[in-house]
Amino acid sequence: MDITRSEPLSYPLNRADTLELDERYTQLLAEPMVRVKLAYGDEAWLASRYDDARLVLGDARFSRVQPEGRDEPRLGERQVGGGMLSMDPPEQTRIRRLAMKAFTRHRVEELRPFAVEVANGLVDDMIAKGSPADLVSGFALPLPVTMICTMLGVPVEDQELFGEWSEGFLSATGLTPEQAAECQGKLMGYMAKLLAARTVDPRDDLLSAFAQVRDNDDRFSEEEILQLAAGLLAAGHETTMSQIPNFALTLFDHPDQLDRIRRDPAIVPQAVEELMRFVPLGIAAAAARWAKEDVQVGDVLVKTGEAVLVDIGAADRDGAVFPEADKLDLAREAAPHLGFSHGAHHCLGAPLARMELQVALEVLVGRLPNLRAAVPTSELRWKIGGFMRSVLELPVAWG
């Protein structure tokens, strides 16, 4: 498909009701960056090739701080920012350090037995209720919610409340600016009450640690700590909740690869990395980077103040880095994917997400023989208005 260069390319390219990568990326991956225009904000360069994407994400000459007079390219009317996402080091590092110790690989591995227990309990409930069952509400949502709530010290029974409010942080076009602001305000108020409670009744959780920092370290403002806590709660379950059914759908479409896991469960960690690479989770790139000076990115000179959007889903299908990139191969060696981003804004919760996805695959495939979709793909309903692609429900059968 030919892509004209006379005008900026209308973006995004991906549809929200499928996990397919739009065919136009085939041409974009073979060429230098192109200019794109979203529904709102300034034009931007689009980095689709792996090397270009990695450079923009990791090079300190690109900033997440929006320059004065610039309008962030975005899908929805409201600007999504605030907290660490809109900071550069060292300010971003100062805030990030508050939570880093809780998300180290070692600390997360200590939680693995609990995650296995939770996952098995959820499968027990699915089996007791009988096939078919909804994989989203019955497993994909409660597993990461339980884990992040346990780490933070948030009551799991409040899931219905904060699950709805999280949309204020994660919605692209599904909410009006007023609705998004209302959701954010409610979530921040909820977290403020929990932080206040932890001040008088500290426990062994992240909120208690945050409350102590708030009261004893004047380097951090109340707003910064609340943004961090609310952001961790919202982002700490949404991505994993989306990827579990996405992984299941992808494996159902590749039964030979699903059989590999059944035959050799030891490949699950490697399988998670390949599925992270293969599944283009985002509808579009978000969180533009602005050039602080002129920067050469591949064949394109990005001028000072220009924005670049990094399309991770496309970059992870770059055949120059991943042989047979459009093929799902769970035996692929150490895929250096960008699914958790790269550089200063590499996903803080990546170790937790990896562990949860590994546990999910191991338990689902190990406990539910002949796991399969219970309805045709054409009948699935997809989430609309968010940044990430995923189904609302995924009826599955087994046995």
Side-chain angles (χ1 to χ4, degrees), residues 47-121:
S48 301
R49 298 186 300 189
Y50 183 92
D51 288 345
D52 294 346
R54 190 176 173 87
L55 187 153
V56 174
L57 293 173
D59 196 307
R61 292 174 294 175
F62 285 98
S63 172
R64 270 295 297 141
V65 179
Q66 184 171 322
E68 185 176 352
R70 300 287 182 172
D71 190 7
E72 178 158 21
R74 59 196 185 276
L75 298 177
E77 182 179 354
R78 72 187 182 99
Q79 294 211 28
V80 181
M84 291 190 299
L85 187 63
S86 299
M87 295 179 179
D88 292 335
E91 281 296 285
Q92 181 252 15
T93 309
R94 175 179 62 87
I95 304 297
R96 184 182 175 98
R97 191 173 289 131
L98 280 174
M100 283 179 64
K101 290 182 180 179
F103 291 94
T104 63
R105 190 171 301 175
H106 175 71
R107 290 294 296 273
V108 166
E109 280 304 309
E110 291 180 338
L111 290 170
R112 185 181 289 265
F114 178 59
V116 171
E117 178 185 343
V118 172
N120 274 304

Side-chain angles (χ1 to χ4, degrees), residues 116-271:
V116 171
E117 178 185 343
V118 172
N120 274 304
L122 294 170
V123 169
D124 287 342
D125 290 342
M126 290 171 64
I127 292 173
K129 293 175 182 176
S131 172
D134 176 24
L135 187 66
V136 175
S137 62
F139 187 91
L141 174 60
L143 174 60
V145 164
T146 301
M147 298 306 297
I148 195 62
C149 284
T150 299
M151 294 181 73
L152 282 169
V154 173
V156 178
E157 57 267 24
D158 289 348
Q159 171 188 323
E160 289 189 12
L161 289 176
F162 65 72
E164 179 181 345
W165 298 335
S166 294
E167 291 190 25
F169 282 79
L170 303 170
S171 175
T173 61
L175 299 176
T176 67
E178 294 76 21
Q179 290 171 326
E182 181 181 1
C183 286
Q184 287 188 357
K186 288 180 177 178
L187 183 56
M188 295 283 278
Y190 172 79
M191 298 306 291
K193 289 180 181 179
L194 287 179
L195 279 169
R198 291 298 184 274
T199 300
V200 297
D201 182 22
R203 303 176 186 179
D204 185 19
D205 55 42
L206 265 178
L207 285 182
S208 297
F210 291 165
Q212 183 178 13
V213 167
R214 180 195 59 187
D215 294 339
N216 297 292
D217 195 332
D218 59 10
R219 292 175 301 167
F220 304 97
S221 70
E222 174 89 3
E223 180 73 12
E224 287 173 337
I225 290 175
L226 280 175
Q227 281 275 0
L228 176 61
L232 288 174
L233 180 59
H237 73 275
E238 183 71 21
T239 303
T240 305
M241 180 193 72
S242 298
Q243 286 291 52
I244 290 173
N246 287 350
F247 283 11
L249 280 171
T250 301
L251 290 170
F252 296 157
D253 285 341
H254 298 79
D256 59 321
Q257 300 299 305
L258 180 54
D259 283 341
R260 278 187 170 182
I261 299 176
R262 291 190 177 111
R263 293 194 307 267
D264 183 12
I267 72 165
V268 162
Q270 192 172 338

